[in-house]
Amino acid sequence: MKNKILIFVLAAATMVFVCCKKEGKEGQTSISAADASNIDLKEIREITKEAYIYGFPIVDNSRIQYAYFVDKQNPEYKAPWNKIRNVPRVFTSEDKAVQTPNSDTPYSWIGLDLRSEPIVFVIPPIEKNRYWSLQLIDLYTFNFAYLGSRTTGNNGGVYMLSGPNWKGEKPKGIDKVIPCETEIALGIIRTQLFNPGDLKNVEAIQKKYDVKTLSAFLGKAAPVQAKPIDFIKPLSPEEQKKSLEFFNNLNFALQFCPVNASEKDLRARFAKIGVQEGKAFNPDSLSADVKNAMNEGIKDAWLEIAELKKRIVTGELSSGDAFGTREFLKNNYLFRMSGAFLGIYGNSIEEAVYPSYYVDSNGEKLNGKNKYTFKLPPGQLPPVNSFWSLTMYDQPASLLVANRLNRYLLNSTMLGQFKKDADGGFTFYIQADSPGKDKESNWLPAPKGDFALIMRLYWPKEEALNGSWKHPKLIKN
């Protein structure tokens, strides 16, 4: 019998109401035995793997949004929902909530709660040569829309973002209406910084970005507001990798994700093991055999990610395969999970390309005990319409590396600071210790242990998209 039936025990109603409730949707409780299907342990393991791969981006996205927009005691806290927070600086080694952050562009952050009414973005005119973008990311982590230099230009405009329940015509004064399929979303504005002395100019632009509700924009009375969400506390990144509480967090987040037509059968399959929007998931109610099967399913998911990462390391796959719209990814949940794990909130390929270095030209893992060179031959700078950079990250945390130069990257706006080779190209030194005072201008400091390098090509040209441009290899000396 133990191999045939998955039993879920009904939690006390008061406990469920406190720990896994979305305001406005009372009556949702944990999965009971009557709701469970008669499935064997093998199928439980398979479904767990599928649900974990599907849900990891949602849970990790929710973890970050909790830190940024809910937990005011968190040092990473930005602002309340639907309020813009401009950060007039770039990311440093002190920023630890988001893995693989860029340190090129000061960010503006907007946590979006679209349940009550649409949100309006008012964008000021920005000088033609300065790159900017507003990346719109739903709770699944799909990049469902972009505003910015590449898509809408630098002349400014007024854009409205609507949630899945909004119905209506485009209001007067709105240039474009952008629909979002989830009730919770995220906006990230990147504003190009040319050099440290340019920071005040970026700050002046950021202050002109305006975000307001549709009713406030129109000067009308606000509609009835959705009740505040009683968020559950997220797991830590390490806990997310192995704890069955992961599925309780997933169920909570799924309340804000109306079932997409393409996923109706998939979501029904997940419900067989208790993964269902608005339902409490209590790992303590599971039998030892079921717990073991589900834990093995999580391990299976990470084995698939490990195999996929090998294909990324060898160049068979790129970041361009992992980020984009639902239509672009074609519901490839493994690719979506890899994107969230390796660099959540990465841009879609049209906006940025990310050549990645996890190994050197000999296929050996990068480590600070070694010294490497990275050469850009004359006339072969990365092909971009905007700018490019090369950023250092420790491994496995994938965070920026503290160093005495406070230098986390090399980029195209720094070209005037670099020493040229005799042939007119550039040689960069990637190592933990100084290559010597005469070479420090071209030095990117590495940690003592494992590390990775990520290139970023913002608004890439066609040769970067079609593969005709090949990114340089990293040579161990």
Side-chain angles (χ1 to χ4, degrees):
M1 194 68 171
K2 68 182 181 181
N3 291 341
K4 294 296 181 182
I5 302 178
L6 170 61
I7 299 177
F8 292 92
V9 179
L10 183 64
T14 54
M15 288 296 292
V16 172
F17 194 73
V18 171
C19 75
C20 196
K21 178 188 67 153
K22 175 183 175 184
E23 293 286 357
K25 292 190 178 181
E26 288 85 352
Q28 294 180 329
T29 58
S30 63
I31 301 293
S32 69
D35 295 320
S37 300
N38 296 339
I39 55 178
D40 62 26
L41 296 176
K42 181 180 178 182
E43 187 174 3
I44 290 171
R45 178 172 175 172
E46 291 173 350
I47 296 175
T48 300
K49 181 188 77 171
E50 294 169 9
Y52 187 87
I53 290 171
Y54 174 91
F56 180 87
I58 302 170
V59 171
D60 201 46
N61 187 9
S62 298
R63 172 186 66 82
I64 296 168
Q65 293 208 29
Y66 184 90
Y68 279 13
F69 312 117
V70 179
D71 183 5
K72 294 182 179 180
Q73 304 306 312
N74 194 303
E76 303 279 0
Y77 180 77
K78 306 301 181 193
W81 296 98
N82 300 331
K83 300 291 184 182
I84 191 168
R85 169 65 187 281
N86 297 310
V87 183
R89 64 172 180 83
V90 292
F91 267 55
T92 73
S93 57
E94 297 301 310
D95 297 284
K96 301 182 185 301
V98 175
Q99 58 269 33
T100 328
N102 103 19
S103 190
D104 296 285
T105 56
Y107 285 100
S108 300
W109 298 90
I110 315 100
L112 298 161
D113 180 353
L114 303 172
R115 294 174 302 146
S116 300
E117 60 176 316
I119 299 299
V120 176
F121 292 90
V122 181
I123 306 298
I126 298 170
E127 64 264 44
K128 298 297 183 182
N129 65 330
R130 188 185 300 275
Y131 171 87
W132 79 279
S133 70
L134 168 54
Q135 177 188 8
L136 291 166
I137 309 162
D138 66 20
L139 199 53
Y140 294 109
T141 67
F142 290 123
N143 295 332
F144 65 92
Y146 275 93
L147 306 175
S149 300
R150 178 184 64 88
T151 54
T152 55
N154 284 33
N155 292 328
V158 182
Y159 305 90
M160 188 183 92
L161 180 63
S162 63
N165 298 318
W166 184 80
K167 309 294 181 186
E169 299 296 323
K170 184 177 74 171
K172 185 177 180 180
I174 300 292
D175 294 320
K176 183 179 181 180
V177 175
I178 303 169
C180 176
E181 70 169 285
T182 60
E183 295 178 327
I184 298 294
L186 175 66
I188 304 176
I189 301 179
R190 296 172 174 90
T191 309
Q192 185 179 4
L193 176 71
F194 296 129
N195 53 61
D198 185 45
L199 197 56
K200 288 189 179 298
N201 297 322
V202 170
E203 188 173 3
I205 294 169
Q206 288 180 321
K207 288 179 178 178
K208 293 179 182 178
Y209 294 135
D210 197 9
V211 179
K212 56 184 66 179
T213 61
L214 178 60
S215 59
F217 175 77
L218 296 175
K220 296 182 177 180
V224 175
Q225 297 295 293
K227 293 181 179 180
I229 301 167
D230 185 12
F231 286 94
I232 59 176
K233 187 176 180 179
L235 302 173
S236 70
E238 285 305 311
E239 289 171 331
Q240 285 178 177
K241 292 181 180 179
K242 55 189 176 183
S243 174
L244 292 180
E245 283 290 341
F246 171 95
F247 294 108
N248 194 43
N249 288 50
L250 175 58
N251 284 1
F252 186 87
L254 286 175
Q255 296 179 88
F256 309 105
C257 304
V259 179
N260 185 278
S262 69
E263 297 179 345
K264 185 177 180 180
D265 291 343
L266 187 70
R267 294 274 282 264
R269 177 168 164 80
F270 293 164
K272 291 182 178 183
I273 63 166
V275 175
Q276 188 174 359
E277 61 274 13
K279 302 285 181 147
F281 185 93
N282 182 10
D284 293 337
S285 71
L286 307 176
S287 71
D289 283 344
V290 169
K291 278 186 179 180
N292 182 65
M294 296 191 75
N295 282 321
E296 291 302 310
I298 291 176
K299 291 177 183 177
D300 292 341
W302 284 110
L303 287 174
E304 288 213 20
I305 286 294
E307 288 301 311
L308 186 67
K309 186 176 178 181
K310 291 179 183 178
R311 299 171 64 193
I312 295 172
V313 167
T314 61
E316 180 184 348
L317 295 174
S318 73
S319 64
D321 297 301
F323 302 109
T325 62
R326 177 184 290 279
E327 293 73 23
F328 173 79
L329 285 170
K330 298 180 173 61
N331 288 357
N332 188 319
Y333 306 115
L334 187 64
F335 280 12
R336 190 176 78 193
M337 178 182 171
S338 72
F341 174 58
L342 296 174
I344 195 166
Y345 309 147
N347 280 294
S348 302
I349 190 170
E350 300 87 356
E351 197 69 32
V353 176
Y354 303 94
S356 303
Y357 297 85
Y358 294 94
V359 298
D360 61 25
S361 58
N362 296 318
E364 297 176 358
K365 184 184 292 187
L366 304 181
N367 189 282
K369 67 184 179 183
N370 303 314
K371 297 179 180 180
Y372 306 88
T373 52
F374 177 89
K375 184 174 175 58
L376 292 175
Q380 296 185 37
L381 294 177
V384 292
N385 290 297
S386 187
F387 69 96
W388 59 265
S389 65
L390 179 70
T391 308
M392 173 69 66
Y393 300 97
D394 67 1
Q395 292 294 298
S398 205
L399 298 174
L400 297 167
V401 176
N403 63 87
R404 67 176 177 82
L405 296 183
N406 292 322
R407 179 183 294 167
Y408 309 108
L409 56 80
L410 308 170
N411 69 23
S412 52
T413 63
M414 299 166 64
L415 282 177
Q417 303 173 33
F418 302 143
K419 287 186 177 180
K420 287 187 177 183
D421 299 332
D423 62 4
F426 296 94
T427 297
F428 299 107
Y429 304 95
I430 315 297
Q431 55 194 67
D433 299 319
S434 172
K437 280 290 184 181
D438 61 325
K439 297 178 179 177
E440 280 194 358
S441 63
N442 294 30
W443 174 36
L444 181 57
K448 295 292 186 181
D450 292 343
F451 68 87
L453 293 167
I454 306 295
M455 286 197 80
R456 288 178 168 86
L457 279 64
Y458 281 94
W459 193 354
K461 292 184 177 180
E462 180 59 28
E463 52 266 42
L465 298 174
N466 64 23
S468 58
W469 176 79
K470 305 296 182 184
H471 60 85
K473 295 184 181 297
L474 196 63
I475 308 298
K476 185 172 77 171
N477 297 329

